[in-house]
Amino acid sequence: MKFNADDSIWVFINYKLALDFGGAHSDASSDVELVIDSVDRPINPTDNSPTMKYNEEFNLVEGGFYPIHIFFAERGGGSVLNINTPLIYSPSICKPK
């Protein structure tokens, strides 16, 4: 996933901070890699079960569904925000409890 913003942007993947461009600044870009096959782990570590693809940094398992939270703050003087991702987008709506 590639992010480009001219002011504050924070990205959390599976509730873990993945990108922090806090504060007013000129255009900044960053890539967040979601490599799933970084570690091969047994599905059940207590036996000789098949392995699954796993990402330790964000605790992701191949084929799983995980939240991505993006917070953006425009500090004035125009706005730049670009997000490029090959992920499937499924919006959710935040509702007060």
Side-chain angles (χ1 to χ4, degrees):
M1 297 178 8
K2 185 174 182 83
F3 297 90
N4 173 260
D6 69 343
D7 284 324
S8 299
I9 184 171
W10 298 270
V11 179
F12 293 82
I13 299 173
N14 203 21
Y15 307 102
K16 184 173 181 184
L17 183 64
L19 179 66
D20 182 351
F21 280 165
H25 51 78
S26 59
D27 280 6
S29 295
S30 182
D31 290 323
V32 176
E33 295 290 328
L34 298 177
V35 178
I36 295 294
D37 60 354
S38 58
V39 176
D40 223 13
R41 295 209 172 161
I43 293 171
N44 182 351
T46 61
D47 61 24
N48 292 327
S49 63
T51 60
M52 63 183 172
K53 299 298 184 186
Y54 184 76
N55 174 287
E56 285 188 304
E57 184 176 6
F58 300 110
N59 196 28
L60 308 176
V61 176
E62 184 177 43
F65 292 89
Y66 302 96
I68 298 175
H69 297 97
I70 301 169
F71 300 91
F72 176 71
E74 174 52 43
R75 306 287 183 179
S79 180
V80 173
L81 174 61
N82 295 298
I83 302 169
N84 294 307
T85 176
L87 301 176
I88 297 170
Y89 173 69
S90 177
S92 62
I93 298 172
C94 297
K95 296 179 182 178
K97 290 184 178 183

